[in-house]
Amino acid sequence: MTGLEFTTDHWYLDDLPGDPDERNVRRQVNDAAWSRVTPTPTADPTLIAHSPEVATELGISESVVRSEQFARVFSGNEVPADMTPFAMTYGGHQFGNWAGQLGDGRAIALGEVATPSGSHQVLQLKGAGPTPYSRGADGRAVLRSSIREFLCSEAMHHLGVPTTRALSLTLTGDEVVRDMLYDGHPAPEHGAVVCRVAPSFVRFGHFELPASRGEVDLLRQLVEHTVHRHFPHLLAGEAADGPTNGTAGMEPVTDEVITAWFREIMERTADLMVDWMRVGFVHGVMNTDNLSILGLTIDYGPYGWLEDFDPGWTPNTTDAGGKRYRYGNQPNIGQWNLSRLGGALSSLVDDVAPLQSVVDDYPACFSNAWDTALAAKLGLTDGALDVDARRELANELLEILPLVETDMTIFFRTLGDIDVTEIDTAVTDGELMQPLHGAYYTVTDLSGEVLARTADWFRRYVTISATANQSPDERRAAMHAVNPKYVLRNYLAQLAIDKADAGSYDMIDELLDLLRHPYDDQPGRAEYATLRPDWARERVGCSMLSCSS
Ligand code: AMP
Ligand code: MG
């Protein structure tokens, strides 16, 4: 084989027991963490987009990316010689209810590799055909949801939010039938495969499933694998040397290590929620099978970006009733999910109290980090500022923003562009708010009591900001580093999808390029940083998405 060569390094396969049954038929898989499964070939694989950064990290040159072999391998039509594709076993709580075995129903890990720079990465094909975990579904993915996953995971990376990455987006040449709105109108769509890349795709649900079945040995092996391979610093001085032959060769993890590990997962989850809240991201399906043990954003489905700042908003129509996964509830769900994980781990320790205290510490951990993030978003990080006044100001803003339709991204970005030392606070409320008008969907709504309250806030904000010990340029640069100018607005992704459905893929690359530098002002690209156009307000795919993908 030329060009596409990898150094395989099968941590997951080597450490954990596999399913002895190699038939690719849907079933319950007990006492095993994975099943061997080969991707199902497709009619006509065609590469339509790739991430050059991820290719470089994997040691794949641009000429190899352009080769036919690349499209074949990353659509599941050819398995490189030393790879042993597999699907993972996991369970999960979906929308608050225990769902039993789920597993990789349409994701197949092509293999685990050591990259030229020394990192460990799993190459996973999403939409590559059925697996033992496909339950009633087809194992495939449609182009629209694949474009959304490809673009958003790369955008998140460039925003500095921990995430799985995406190497490639391939059309399969096959049709996939989906009832997009679950309203009895199934229709054929283009099939696609995204190759996702992450050090591990292990989820909270990996631990819940063996715990629910009383498979304590498997549960312990999963913990040992994850700690030894992905959290070795927690073993420093104890057993940090990597295992080679299954977890049997690993030093067992103590109760103390399990608690320290759970604490780190708790902190990473809290930090992830802060990041999502900071950039205005709504995951949409925070089931425990969609929470990464590494604290990565994983499984991009009916996610969305806040346009107007509405803490009650969820893009997921499947969740429209309870809005469990609405923007403002994400931090709470993080804790709920951690409780489920802690419960799963409890059978491994003598005393559950330390695990419980980790869960109990989550709210403070989140609030402290969110408080710091909000201070940064507001440019109020100067240590000399009164902390209580700053907090009060931030909290008041979060109450004011939903009162009139205010674009979150534009609001914070504009705030950073304003030179507070130049603002005359003695003018009328209406005049005072003029510099921020661009953030409002209907400026005339900013009137009466809302105007008075907003202007009062802005006056206090300007006054406090002006006392901070930093130059206007420093303030602007610091704020722009945390308040993105460009995010993957829901309607932008939908425009790229509409064009791709019509056979034109340029906008995918254009958006990928734009979102590579989300914090920079990019000349000539103002159109991507404007308010959502009116046509997108109620359009399917822009404001409403189902789990159908
Ligand atoms: P999600 O909440 O979309 O991440 O998916 C929940 C579960 O359903 C996971 O086990 C997925 O692998 C599985 N799943 C989703 N879509 C499909 C599909 N088209 N074919 C097979 N399994 C699927
Ligand atoms: Mg999932």
Side-chain angles (χ1 to χ4, degrees), residues 107 122-124 126 149 165 194-198 201 203 299:
V122 183
L123 309 179
Q124 193 192 61
K126 183 168 177 178
E149 170 135 21
R165 304 291 303 271
V194 171
C195 176
R196 311 196 285 193
V197 179
F201 286 92
R203 302 135 191 277
D299 279 12

Side-chain angles (χ1 to χ4, degrees), residues 387-407:
V387 174
D388 289 335
R390 189 198 74 198
R391 258 196 212 126
E392 197 277 320
L393 208 58
N395 291 337
E396 168 73 353
L397 178 64
L398 297 184
E399 283 186 26
I400 289 174
L401 285 178
L403 298 179
V404 275
E405 221 181 341
T406 317
D407 191 276

Side-chain angles (χ1 to χ4, degrees), residues 45 93 189 216 218 274 283 328 339 351 402 420 446 519 533:
H93 278 85
E189 298 187 45
V216 181
L218 176 59
V274 169
H283 181 284
S339 294
D351 178 11
V420 285
L446 191 64
Y519 299 105

